[in-house]
Each structure stands twice: as structure tokens, then as C-alpha cells.
Amino acid sequence: MAAAAPDTWGYSGQSRALFSVGARGRMEVLALERFRSPGKGSGLRACRRVRPGELLYRAEPFAYVVTKERLGGVCERCLRRNEHLHRCSQCKVAKYCGKSCQKEAWLDHKQECRCLKSIKPNFPPDSVRLAGRIVFKLLRQSVCLSERLYSFSDLQTNIEQLSEEMKDALRHLAQTLQLYLKTEIQDASYLPPAIDFFQIFTKLTISYTESLMPTSERQKQLMRQYCFECDCLLCQNQEKDAEKLAGEEHAWKEVKNAVNEVRYPKSKEEWEKVLARCRNLLSSYKGRLPDTNIYQLKMLDCAMDACINLESWEEALYYGNRTLEPYRLYYPGFHPLRAVQLMRVGKLQYSQDMFPQALETLKQEEFNRRKKQKCHMKSDDLNKSQAKSISDISVARNQQHHRQYQQV
């Protein structure tokens, strides 16, 4: 996921509450307000009491693209995985679920389509393709709901804090972007001052690092990508670092390397190879690596994904059950990743005719309290096609947990 950084909610004024237009046109005060924190940049904070699991804000990203690794496997519009996608007849790169998704995506794809055709057989880096979509959207001055929180121009670059090496790399990307857009923008000097190719790349980077990393690695990544030193309680206390790297060091280092080598498979044969590798390592280090070790946990997740894609429901459930305790440890309270994992395990239990266990899993306090504002869990809710239900949960988890597409 590519997002603005380091001041994700960049706004240079004093704190200000956010408003939205309700279903009947009335103005409603949202639960958030923007504010400036000296030395730490901009942010969002709650301006009223919020309930655990309450949805505070939802909007589509300003721009996003499917990564080169996932091209052809998911729809360019809705990002759902589909084996029968229809490709764009012009660029033959973008693929969609059907006419509906293609029509919705056309405004963002129209100019990009001609650019992709013009550089064949080459293909732009993911960040360049994303930046291209941003440029086109800024030029046509499209209204995006996500800009209620902040606009692209609000984002800070922190260019002064970047190393010369990083600046050189960004200049190279800016030149690549200019060549990529040449079909649509012959002379970049005629662009509005607000659209600067180099500045655009200083506002794009990966998402804030996930908490499922040792403190030292998180700190290094945040400093390099966002130019600030985090002093949150998790970093100050180095909480759970011991559990994250528990077990024999040489064992978790090998598992770490194996996990990092995995790329998203696109065929049954590739999934089978991934599963075989996971089985071998999990068996080799049985009793030497606890499931709370973060790399062991990622390996279990990987094995679970492989089994789901190969429709090996029983084995997938075995790996899924092993992840629940580590998920509870690292994602406490009402964390969405834990909720999704509970859903997946519950669906797998149902596929094995373990109906009471499935219902109990889905009704666990954290998950139930997260969902009870929207719906009440009933037994009939589970009466759906087993394979389709589990596949849908796998897609949801892939979209939320791995975030293999880039977005702003």
C-alpha cells in the first residue's frame, strides 16, 4: 500500500472538526478532527467518545493500482480475485470482472490506457503507474470523498530530510514518469505548479509499518520512510519483542528468509510448491519455534492461504487454529486483522461440519462486539456455499492483511 507520508493527515492549520453530508442532506459532525502536533506533524483524533469497533470513516482511496505481481489475478476496479477476468481490448493490461467494473474504472483508466500502449513492450514500475493516475486525477480536478480528510496538496514531503541517494532515486522515477506520460502530456512545463513530478514522488511511500515487527526494525523503517522517530508506548517498552523472536535464532532466520521469498502464486502448481515448502519447514522446526514467533506465524498464515486456494479445508483449519493465540497476543482488543482471522477460521470450521465450534468462534467477544452494531449473528447466516464462503473470506483477508496493491 502506498500512502502519503510522513504526515498522513497533513493539515497546516489549527484543529478542525470534520463534517459530512448525511443520507438526507444534513450536515453531521464526524468523530474525528484534524490537528497539528509539534515535532510530530499532523494527525487525526477523536472529538467525541467512540464505541469499540465503531466505524469512524470510510472512503475510496484517491488513487490506487494493482501491483505488477498481482496483474491478471484480480480485478483492477474492485480488487476481487477472479479466474475469468476480461482484459481491456486496447492496452491488454487492465483486467476486470465484467462490463460494470470496466465502466466504473474507465475514467481513471482512459488516459492511462494510451500511455500503457505507447511504451509497449515495456511496463512502468508500480509507483510510476500510480503517480500517473494521480497526475490525471489532479488535472481533471476530480472530486474524491477521501479528500474530506485531507487533499493531496496538504501532504508534506520532508524532502529536506531525505538522503542524496534517495533524492537521486526519486529524480530517476520522475524522469520515468515523464516518459510514461509523454503520449498524454508532451511538455511537463505547461502543467500547473501544483503538479510537480518530483514532488509527487516525495509524497508517495509505503504504508506505516505494521506492528508485527521487532522494535528495532520498525524504528529503522519509520525513520527511513517517514523521517521521524516513533516514541509510542509499544516502541518505548519494546513490548512483546521477546515473544516475537522466541525460539532458536538460526531456525527463525531460515523461516524468515523462506517467507520473504514467497510471491503471490497464480496457479495451482505454484500454490502446491508454497505449501510443500511450508510443510517442510514447520515439520523441521517443530518444538524449536513457538507459534508466537512472528516468522513462524507468517509461515502458518502462508500455509493456511495455500490450503484454502487448494481447497484442503481440513489442513487449512489446522494451521488457522494455530494462529488464533498469536493473533490474540499481537492484535488485542478490536483489531480488524484479528476479526478477519476469526471469520476465516469460523468458516473453515463450518466446512468441516463443526457448526457449534464455528458459531462460537464467530461469536467471540471481540468479533461479536465489532459486528453487533451492524447485524446480529444467526445460525442461518452460515447456510451458504462452503467453498464460496471460504474463498470470499480469503479474498477479504488478502485485501486487508497483505495489501499488495498500492493506494493513496
Side-chain angles (χ1 to χ4, degrees), residues 114-355:
R114 291 190 283 265
C115 293
L116 290 171
K117 285 175 61 179
S118 70
I119 65 170
K120 280 189 172 182
N122 298 316
F123 193 83
D126 295 330
S127 56
V128 169
R129 188 182 175 201
L130 174 62
R133 285 197 169 195
I134 292 171
V135 170
F136 293 139
K137 198 155 191 172
L138 291 173
L139 284 174
R140 65 174 184 266
Q141 299 181 335
S142 294
V143 176
C144 183
L145 292 179
S146 66
E147 291 190 283
R148 290 179 183 173
L149 296 178
Y150 62 93
S151 67
F152 190 79
S153 60
D154 288 329
L155 305 179
Q156 299 182 15
T157 68
N158 280 341
I159 187 171
E160 300 83 5
Q161 296 174 266
L162 298 179
S163 66
E164 286 303 316
E165 182 181 359
M166 292 187 71
K167 289 179 182 178
D168 287 341
L170 292 178
R171 291 188 189 99
H172 177 72
L173 285 174
Q175 292 171 356
T176 305
L177 176 62
Q178 189 168 352
L179 292 173
Y180 171 58
L181 301 181
K182 195 170 183 179
T183 299
E184 294 295 305
I185 303 174
Q186 286 76 25
D187 190 346
S189 63
Y190 288 99
L191 290 172
I195 303 179
D196 181 280
F197 286 174
F198 178 76
Q199 290 290 337
I200 283 177
F201 282 106
T202 67
K203 296 182 179 184
L204 294 181
T205 183
I206 62 171
S207 173
Y208 273 11
T209 184
E210 63 169 327
S211 59
L212 200 63
M213 295 174 65
T215 301
S216 59
E217 290 188 26
R218 290 200 313 272
Q219 291 279 6
K220 289 178 183 177
Q221 190 167 333
L222 289 172
M223 179 57 71
R224 183 179 184 277
Q225 297 289 346
Y226 295 94
C227 306
F228 78 94
E229 184 175 342
C230 182
D231 61 354
C232 71
L233 289 177
L234 187 66
C235 289
Q236 288 181 22
N237 302 332
Q238 299 187 14
E239 187 180 353
K240 300 172 184 173
D241 274 8
E243 292 93 335
K244 290 175 181 177
L245 298 180
E248 299 179 10
E249 184 175 353
H250 77 277
W252 61 252
K253 282 186 174 180
E254 183 177 352
V255 173
K256 176 184 178 181
N257 291 335
V259 169
N260 291 337
E261 289 171 2
V262 173
R263 296 294 180 266
Y264 191 78
K266 295 182 179 180
S267 67
K268 180 179 178 181
E269 292 73 20
E270 290 176 346
W271 278 116
E272 288 174 343
K273 290 180 180 179
V274 169
L275 181 56
R277 178 70 166 148
C278 292
R279 284 171 176 166
N280 180 53
L281 286 172
L282 291 170
S283 175
S284 298
Y285 296 122
K286 185 177 182 180
R288 298 160 68 184
L289 282 182
D291 291 344
T292 53
N293 181 287
I294 56 176
Y295 303 115
Q296 174 87 343
L297 176 57
K298 291 178 180 180
M299 181 64 71
L300 290 170
D301 262 333
C302 190
M304 183 182 179
D305 285 342
C307 289
I308 288 175
N309 281 277
L310 294 171
E311 299 185 4
S312 299
W313 312 128
E314 186 175 355
E315 189 175 359
L317 177 58
Y318 168 71
Y319 296 126
N321 279 329
R322 290 177 61 177
T323 68
L324 291 185
E325 180 57 26
Y327 266 75
R328 186 197 64 78
L329 174 66
Y330 296 127
Y331 301 115
F334 307 96
H335 201 288
L337 294 183
R338 187 182 175 201
V340 171
Q341 193 74 346
L342 286 167
M343 285 181 64
R344 301 175 78 217
V345 171
K347 291 291 186 179
L348 286 168
Q349 289 171 329
Y350 173 68
S351 76
Q352 299 300 303
D353 296 325
M354 300 168 63
F355 183 78

Side-chain angles (χ1 to χ4, degrees), residues 47-88:
C47 53
R48 64 169 174 78
R49 183 178 293 277
V50 296
R51 299 183 301 275
E54 179 182 352
L55 177 65
L56 299 179
Y57 190 80
R58 174 186 289 165
E60 285 195 5
F62 183 79
Y64 62 95
V65 296
V66 176
T67 60
K68 195 181 301 184
E69 187 180 62
R70 290 290 190 93
L71 278 177
V74 298
C75 174
E76 294 261 347
R77 170 58 184 167
C78 68
L79 304 176
R80 290 185 180 277
R81 191 169 54 208
N82 193 324
E83 294 181 359
H84 306 289
L85 296 170
H86 306 277
R87 71 179 182 180
C88 172

